[in-house]
Amino acid sequence: MSVPIDIVLARLEKVTGKSPSWMSRCPAHDDRTGSLHITEKPDGRVIFHCHAGCGGADVVQALGLQFGDLKPLGCEYAAPEPVERNAQESLRAIAHAALVAVGLLNTVAAGKTITDRQADLAAQLAAEIMAAMDAAGVKPTVATERRVRT
């Protein structure tokens, strides 16, 4: 039987720290600084916090796991409810998305083709911006369902 924290840590890169708290690169975005905080709770559950603004569901999906994989067998708890972001977290997420978008635009401007992974990242970041706008009650003024491929 595998322990949830062992499964999670084995799928992450550049892990530092020791039980019950670690830092690593976040698999849900192009992380170079190690912005993902991983905590093992006393009951064996594993929780995440990405300081760049990625949601827990994004991290779980990027790891190829499901929320049920983050708890030991027999540990019952309610699925996490969506957490409202405060303005500071939303602005950080938007700033991160904008920086990545600038990098992708520079790649295209240099005559290079972006990869499918980069296009997917751009779409994910656009969704992040839209979620922040929705949380703030701001209606988009442009089409939101477009997907750019070169």
Side-chain angles (χ1 to χ4, degrees):
M1 175 172 33
S2 298
V3 178
I5 192 66
D6 295 335
I7 295 168
V8 169
L9 294 177
R11 294 177 184 219
L12 292 169
E13 296 179 1
K14 303 284 184 179
V15 178
T16 60
K18 59 183 182 174
S19 183
S21 180
W22 297 264
M23 292 295 292
S24 79
R25 288 183 176 167
C26 178
H29 74 275
D30 186 19
D31 189 5
R32 293 185 179 108
T33 62
S35 60
L36 183 66
H37 183 230
I38 308 103
T39 303
E40 182 181 31
K41 303 301 268 180
D43 62 3
R45 289 179 295 130
V46 178
I47 61 171
F48 305 109
H49 175 75
C50 177
H51 293 278
C54 298
D58 298 324
V59 175
V60 171
Q61 182 180 17
L63 289 171
L65 299 172
Q66 297 179 2
F67 276 107
D69 299 323
L70 303 179
K71 64 179 184 72
L73 290 175
C75 177
E76 296 301 323
Y77 71 101
E81 293 293 322
V83 177
E84 281 191 34
R85 284 191 174 151
N86 64 34
Q88 187 177 22
E89 291 168 336
S90 292
L91 288 171
R92 279 191 186 130
I94 291 169
H96 175 259
L99 289 172
V100 172
V102 167
L104 293 173
L105 288 171
N106 285 335
T107 299
V108 172
K112 298 179 184 174
T113 302
I114 62 172
T115 66
D116 284 346
R117 184 171 182 227
Q118 289 171 315
D120 289 342
L121 175 61
Q124 179 183 9
L125 293 170
E128 190 72 32
I129 292 170
M130 297 307 296
M133 289 175 62
D134 186 53
V138 177
K139 299 294 179 208
T141 58
V142 296
T144 59
E145 296 295 321
R146 293 184 189 162
R147 221 178 143 116
V148 177
R149 298 271 184 189
T150 59

